[in-house]
Amino acid sequence: MMKGRKIWMLALIAGLATACSKDSSDLASGSGYQDEYRFYAKAKINGLPIDFNAGENGYGLETDYTLEDSVIIMTGKLAKENQPLKNAILLNIRGNKKVADESSFRVEQSLYPGLFSYRDLSGYITVAGSYDLKFLGDTSYSQLRYNWTFENGDNSSLRSPAPIRVAVSEFDPFKVTLKTDYYGCISEVTHWVNIQDDCDATIKVSEISNYGFKVKAISRQGNVLNVDWALDGQEVDPDFVGAINASLYGTHTLRAEIYFEEGCSKVVERTFDASNTTPCLTDFWYEKNKSTTYDSEQLGAVELEYYDENGKKFTTFYSGTNGDFEIVSLSPYLENEKGQQTTRFFFEANAILKSEDGTSVELTECFGSFAVAHP
């Protein structure tokens, strides 16, 4: 068991004078976060902001690692030096492979940019970046025939197909098309299903004639901000009552790019026959849940702890843990005072944390910079 690997940072990053930021433009440009303090954590606890910075108000980042049951556990603790744990955040990251000894540990196999699972007391751990989608077809008409087409190549003719497991790294969004046949009346709708984001909506087409039709975006989750409409690939702008005026004959495809106040978007397409004034327009619904698997060792999992102003501990380590953790970027860092190798990383997190007495807090909008020591 290795003890006392500490990094107490009192200096500011040279050349970075702006306050820390984590907007998408920084990430997209590859510049990463900009920060005044080399190590910090910022978040909201039950909606109230917290802001811990190493080198300010006695805070420092203490790093350590242990070897337990052939697993390296890397720890970073942002807290006040030589004081009881209050107003503090701690991260434990388990190595993702068992090792015979410390010399066989490879940090690049355990720390990397990407999504991580939280350690779960039940033994059932979420599969990081993976979701199970369950679909349910419309029953507005009896004796419907269903034809599902999924972006991963799967197909189904059932009203409710078997759940499909989707990895964010492969599909986000995930394209799903349902074509139904009601005694020769064909309806086709396509949803680009958001995997990480939760915004959801569909579109309604009504009052179809050879001269136009009415459209409406209907939110299922989230608040619709605006919609970009296109008919057969050409942009169209509904009037104030939601009517699209066009000369219509035969089959047409309406596409809606729906934008939400929450910052996400959703795309829906519907194909309809303008010659049929009473079309059998059908739709589908879906449920989305994080994929889970039983893993007694839970290698590569993360445990996040928060200590409030009274020193009460809240943790993500409980049965059915709920939240997300992501390492955004990382790089080798300076050796610590014990001569140990360290790695610095920027992270984002959200979670429900629970205490021993069953009370809980919600951690949101959490981001920061930590470092851990390792063999």
Side-chain angles (χ1 to χ4, degrees):
M1 183 174 292
M2 310 300 292
K3 294 290 186 182
R5 281 122 173 92
K6 298 184 180 180
I7 306 174
W8 298 98
M9 301 310 303
L10 305 178
L12 304 181
I13 289 184
L16 294 179
T18 59
C20 75
S21 64
K22 68 179 193 77
D23 60 35
S24 58
S25 61
D26 284 339
L27 296 180
S29 68
S31 61
Y33 301 126
Q34 294 185 345
D35 52 355
E36 290 180 349
Y37 297 96
R38 208 174 285 272
F39 301 110
Y40 59 85
K42 302 176 187 294
K44 289 183 179 179
I45 297 290
N46 291 339
L48 299 177
I50 60 172
D51 189 351
F52 307 145
N53 300 299
E56 181 181 71
N57 298 324
Y59 275 87
L61 182 77
E62 179 180 346
T63 62
D64 193 5
Y65 73 83
T66 58
L67 178 61
E68 300 179 11
D69 297 325
S70 301
V71 179
I72 294 291
I73 301 174
M74 298 166 283
T75 301
K77 180 174 65 178
L78 188 57
K80 290 188 176 182
E81 183 178 7
N82 299 322
Q83 293 189 27
L85 284 174
K86 295 181 179 180
N87 290 321
I89 285 183
L90 185 147
L91 286 175
N92 290 314
I93 304 178
R94 295 170 63 82
N96 73 345
K97 293 183 181 295
K98 283 197 166 188
V99 295
D101 52 49
E102 295 176 8
S103 64
S104 58
F105 178 77
R106 298 294 179 267
V107 66
E108 67 275 6
Q109 296 176 345
S110 296
L111 293 178
Y112 47 84
L115 296 166
F116 286 70
S117 301
Y118 284 118
R119 190 178 176 213
D120 196 297
L121 185 62
S122 69
Y124 283 91
I125 191 171
T126 61
V127 180
S130 181
Y131 292 79
D132 291 335
L133 302 179
K134 184 177 180 181
F135 296 91
L136 182 65
D138 200 342
T139 58
S140 299
Y141 302 87
S142 60
Q143 303 302 317
L144 272 178
R145 288 191 294 175
Y146 300 91
N147 183 4
W148 299 85
T149 303
F150 301 100
E151 190 173 1
N152 66 350
D154 287 355
N155 296 276
S156 177
S157 59
L158 301 175
R159 176 183 168 232
S160 180
I164 294 179
R165 181 159 293 188
V166 177
V168 172
S169 59
E170 296 182 85
F171 305 102
D172 193 9
F174 182 62
K175 182 180 178 182
V176 180
T177 299
L178 173 62
K179 181 181 289 187
T180 59
D181 184 347
Y182 177 65
Y183 295 106
C185 183
I186 307 299
S187 175
E188 182 175 326
V189 63
T190 299
H191 288 254
W192 278 260
V193 177
N194 287 314
I195 305 302
Q196 284 189 285
D197 291 333
D198 291 325
C199 298
D200 188 24
T202 190
I203 57 176
K204 180 181 179 181
V205 178
S206 62
E207 299 183 29
I208 299 173
S209 71
N210 294 137
Y211 307 102
F213 55 95
K214 284 190 175 182
V215 296
K216 185 178 181 180
I218 302 172
S219 173
R220 292 174 172 174
Q221 185 166 346
N223 300 302
V224 174
L225 180 63
N226 56 63
V227 183
D228 290 340
W229 299 93
L231 181 64
D232 300 328
Q234 300 296 317
E235 292 184 8
V236 290
D237 188 12
D239 62 22
F240 70 97
V241 295
I244 293 177
N245 298 312
S247 179
L248 298 177
Y249 299 93
T251 302
H252 300 271
T253 298
L254 179 70
R255 178 184 178 93
E257 295 186 17
I258 306 166
Y259 299 92
F260 295 80
E261 294 177 0
E262 291 79 2
C264 45
S265 62
K266 168 79 183 291
V267 177
V268 184
E269 279 188 358
R270 180 177 287 283
T271 300
F272 62 95
D273 185 356
S275 62
N276 189 345
T277 57
T278 57
C280 49
L281 299 179
T282 56
D283 209 339
F284 65 86
W285 291 259
Y286 53 89
E287 295 179 357
K288 180 178 66 176
N289 296 292
K290 290 182 178 179
S291 306
T292 59
T293 186
Y294 186 78
D295 181 358
S296 59
E297 296 175 337
Q298 302 193 25
L299 300 176
V302 173
E303 181 180 353
L304 189 154
E305 298 175 3
Y306 165 69
Y307 295 80
D308 69 11
E309 65 276 9
N310 299 313
K312 187 174 182 178
K313 174 184 173 182
F314 296 86
T315 178
T316 56
F317 185 48
Y318 58 88
S319 295
T321 185
N322 182 10
D324 299 286
F325 185 90
E326 180 177 6
I327 290 181
V328 179
S329 63
L330 77 169
S331 60
Y333 195 61
L334 305 173
E335 289 186 353
N336 64 18
E337 62 185 16
K338 297 295 184 179
Q340 301 296 318
Q341 299 295 316
T342 66
T343 294
R344 181 193 182 198
F345 58 89
F346 294 93
F347 72 94
E348 293 183 347
N350 63 76
I352 301 296
L353 296 89
K354 294 187 178 182
S355 67
E356 289 184 348
D357 62 12
T359 57
S360 63
V361 295
E362 183 178 15
L363 177 82
T364 58
E365 300 178 32
C366 181
F367 65 100
S369 170
F370 265 54
V372 292
H374 48 78

